[in-house]
């Protein structure tokens, strides 16, 4: 919500403690102040043009009524082919794939499907903000496991300690927003061991699966021994094909888990984006070169922004993947990243995201800022120039 209004006192208790999404707030701030937006993670460049042609043909070709609830068959087939081609995961498109309104709805449907009131869900912190909102709306309890700067590795002891007799699931995100870290195979094996020992379900958000740097490759949790039966995998066309506004995502996994997600999803949107679904099917089948090139471009942009931020003497934590780099703003005398981000438009004409809202551990989160580098190179260069010319001290 970019609205400045305060919600009614009638707002249900399950939403009272959930802050409005910071991404909309910061994008509105960028528009209002005419600042360069290194906040919300959406790319400046469009996705592949042939995919737009397929979407236009579908719009003109009469594909404008409800799609089937689980998604149009050609998209479910293309998702299955993609999982087989990249990861060797063989899926039955009729039973093991469901299309959703972005990864956001997939997360919401999975949490609603599997979390009973009072159930505890282990979640990596800093977390993507919708996770917290969804767990709250389901009446669940989040049990954060903190990825700590500078390297944001998984603390296995903390993971073990987060699991109690009320824990029923783990919500994983790799590559990870906002830290940009990628769980190694060894780390995934630890998660798998804990999940199997305690009979936990794993919901894994892998929307940045193709945006890894420095030759790294993505390992889906579902491919680890013993994990297929207890893993729900989520991805989306938004990040892979630079169509974040299309909101076409998907869930894959064993038939009983996918059917459970569909049980919730059918009452959320039922179905969405009918004419865009065939276009995403085309993208998955024919546009692998797009995301390979995108990962290389993003790596160069990461290097540009990381170097620029380091010249400012900020503590910068170099990401292994995603759209984002994080930094610590204490060097500028700020104890609070939100105060820093609110002053940034006026001082430098740049918007970034205060990451403190993504933490329960305020000591760890208070000083962290997230910067998006999925923007045009000229925008990043301009942002670095502006930051270097500004007086940023508290
Ligand atoms: N999960 C993570 C980790 C994200 O960064 C995002 C933003 N792309 C989403 C989910 C939401 O994805 P979508 O736009 O497909 O709903
Ligand atoms: N996933 C993007 C981000 O993290 C956008 C999120 C949003 O606007 N809800 O910036």
């Amino acid at each position: 919500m970019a609205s400045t209004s305060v919600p009614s006192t009638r707002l249900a208790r399950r939403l009272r403690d959930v802050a409005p999404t910071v991404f909309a707030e910061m994008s509105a701030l960028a528009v209002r102040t005419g600042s360069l937006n290194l906040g919300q993670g959406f790319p400046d460049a469009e996705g592949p043009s042939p995919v737009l042609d397929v979407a236009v043909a579908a719009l003109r070709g009469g594909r404008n009524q409800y799609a089937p609830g689980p998604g149009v068959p050609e998209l479910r087939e293309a998702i299955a082919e993609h999982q087989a081609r990249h990861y060797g995961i063989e899926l039955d498109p009729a039973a093991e794939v469901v299309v959703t309104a972005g990864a956001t709805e997939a997360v919401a449907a999975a949490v609603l499907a599997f979390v009973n009131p009072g159930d505890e869900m282990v979640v990596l912190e800093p977390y993507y903000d919708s996770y917290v909102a969804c767990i709250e709306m389901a009446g669940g309890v989040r049990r954060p496991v903190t990825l700590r700067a500078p390297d944001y590795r998984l603390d296995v002891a903390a993971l073990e300690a987060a699991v109690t007799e009320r824990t029923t699931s783990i919500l994983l995100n790799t590559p990870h927003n906002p830290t940009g870290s990628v769980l190694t195979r060894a780390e995934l094996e630890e998660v798998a061991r804990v999940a199997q020992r305690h009979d936990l379900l794993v919901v894994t958000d892998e929307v940045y699966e193709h945006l890894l740097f420095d030759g790294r490759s993505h390992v889906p949790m579902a491919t680890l021994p013993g994990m297929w039966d207890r893993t729900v995998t989520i991805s989306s066309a938004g990040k892979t094909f630079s169509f974040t506004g299309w909101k076409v995502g998907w869930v894959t996994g064993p038939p009983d888990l996918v059917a459970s997600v569909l049980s919730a999803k059918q009452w959320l949107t039922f179905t969405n984006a009918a004419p865009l679904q065939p276009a995403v099917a085309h993208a998955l089948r024919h546009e692998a070169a797009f995301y390979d090139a995108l990962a290389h471009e993003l790596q160069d942009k990461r290097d540009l922004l990381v170097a620029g931020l380091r010249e400012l003497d900020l503590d910068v934590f170099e990401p292994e993947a995603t759209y984002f780099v994080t930094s610590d703003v204490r060097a500028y005398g700020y104890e609070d990243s939100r105060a820093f981000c609110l002053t940034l438009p006026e001082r430098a004409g740049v918007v970034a995201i205060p990451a403190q809202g993504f933490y329960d551990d305020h000591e760890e989160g208070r000083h962290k800022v997230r910067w998006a580098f999925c923007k045009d190179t000229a925008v990043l260069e301009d942002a670095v120039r502006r930051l270097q010319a500004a007086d940023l001290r508290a």
Side-chain angles (χ1 to χ4, degrees):
M1 269 197 321
S3 165
T4 49
S5 309
V6 175
S8 157
T9 51
R10 297 174 196 269
L11 182 68
R13 273 188 296 280
R14 63 182 166 270
L15 280 167
R16 280 190 203 152
D17 293 335
V18 180
T21 174
V22 70
F23 303 117
E25 181 193 355
M26 290 294 149
S27 279
L29 179 65
V31 171
R32 205 163 61 242
T33 58
S35 297
L36 301 177
N37 189 354
L38 306 194
Q40 195 177 24
F42 61 88
D44 281 342
E46 285 275 83
S49 175
V51 179
L52 294 176
D53 294 338
V54 178
V56 170
L59 279 161
R60 290 280 173 208
R63 304 206 52 179
N64 297 304
Q65 309 311 328
Y66 297 125
V72 302
E74 71 251 55
L75 178 53
R76 281 184 279 152
E77 283 157 20
I79 292 164
E81 289 162 17
H82 170 275
Q83 294 304 96
R85 197 165 67 239
H86 284 284
Y87 310 122
I89 300 173
E90 298 291 338
L91 294 170
D92 173 359
E96 297 177 323
V97 182
V98 162
V99 178
T100 55
T104 307
E105 189 197 31
V107 169
V111 171
L112 288 169
F114 299 115
V115 175
N116 282 302
D119 283 358
E120 292 181 359
M121 190 171 211
V122 171
V123 55
L124 299 182
E125 154 180 287
Y127 27 65
Y128 184 57
D129 64 352
S130 86
Y131 300 171
V132 169
C134 290
I135 296 168
E136 287 289 321
M137 288 193 285
V141 178
R142 66 179 178 278
R143 299 280 297 177
V145 173
T146 310
L147 304 178
R148 290 178 195 283
D151 55 3
Y152 295 121
R153 296 330 312 170
L154 178 72
D155 177 342
V156 177
L159 173 65
E160 303 255 16
V163 177
T164 75
E165 69 283 0
R166 287 184 298 281
T167 308
T168 56
S169 58
I170 301 175
L171 177 47
L172 215 58
N173 171 215
T174 183
H176 184 257
N177 177 6
T179 67
S181 66
V182 175
L183 292 180
T184 62
R185 184 178 288 277
E187 287 168 329
L188 290 169
E189 280 166 0
E190 294 291 351
V191 178
R193 188 178 53 74
V194 169
Q196 290 176 33
R197 163 122 58 85
H198 298 278
D199 190 21
L200 307 179
L201 174 84
V202 177
V203 177
T204 171
D205 175 347
E206 304 184 357
V207 297
Y208 297 99
E209 63 186 312
H210 291 298
L211 306 182
L212 283 75
F213 311 141
D214 310 312
R216 287 184 181 81
S217 48
H218 172 67
V219 181
M221 180 46 113
T223 59
L224 269 74
M227 289 308 291
W228 167 252
D229 287 339
R230 60 176 70 248
T231 302
V232 171
T233 304
I234 292 170
S235 196
S236 158
K239 302 291 147 101
T240 297
F241 297 111
S242 297
F243 289 128
T244 61
W246 282 16
K247 300 295 282 188
V248 176
W250 49 87
V251 171
T252 55
D256 59 331
L257 297 184
V258 168
S260 304
V261 174
L262 186 58
S263 300
K265 183 253 174 334
Q266 69 187 325
W267 306 119
L268 295 173
T269 56
F270 172 50
T271 177
N272 74 301
L276 303 179
Q277 292 192 25
V280 173
H282 178 90
L284 285 168
R285 285 180 167 146
H286 303 291
E287 293 290 350
F290 177 85
Y291 48 76
D292 288 344
L294 179 60
H296 283 106
E297 283 162 28
L298 284 168
Q299 181 177 321
D300 290 345
K301 291 177 179 190
R302 172 203 64 179
D303 292 345
L304 192 169
L305 188 59
V306 166
L309 294 175
R310 284 199 171 138
E311 274 180 39
L312 295 170
D313 286 335
L314 287 175
D315 247 339
V316 180
F317 313 116
E318 186 174 275
E320 299 170 330
T322 75
Y323 282 178
F324 311 113
V325 54
T326 53
S327 68
D328 186 320
V329 290
R330 270 176 295 188
Y332 282 116
Y334 285 91
E335 285 302 315
D336 175 345
S337 61
R338 189 171 167 84
F340 176 85
C341 289
L342 290 178
T343 182
L344 209 50
E346 192 187 313
R347 296 196 186 195
V350 173
V351 159
I353 298 285
Q356 64 201 59
F358 308 147
Y359 286 85
D360 283 307
D361 182 339
H362 293 293
E363 271 321 296
E364 183 63 21
R366 219 147 40 99
H367 332 99
K368 301 278 183 347
V369 169
R370 189 194 83 174
W371 313 77
F373 51 81
C374 49
K375 309 294 172 175
D376 286 343
T377 301
V379 171
L380 296 174
E381 286 169 347
D382 192 7
V384 167
R385 263 195 307 273
R386 291 181 186 204
L387 291 165
Q388 288 175 351
D391 178 7
L392 299 177
R393 301 204 165 261

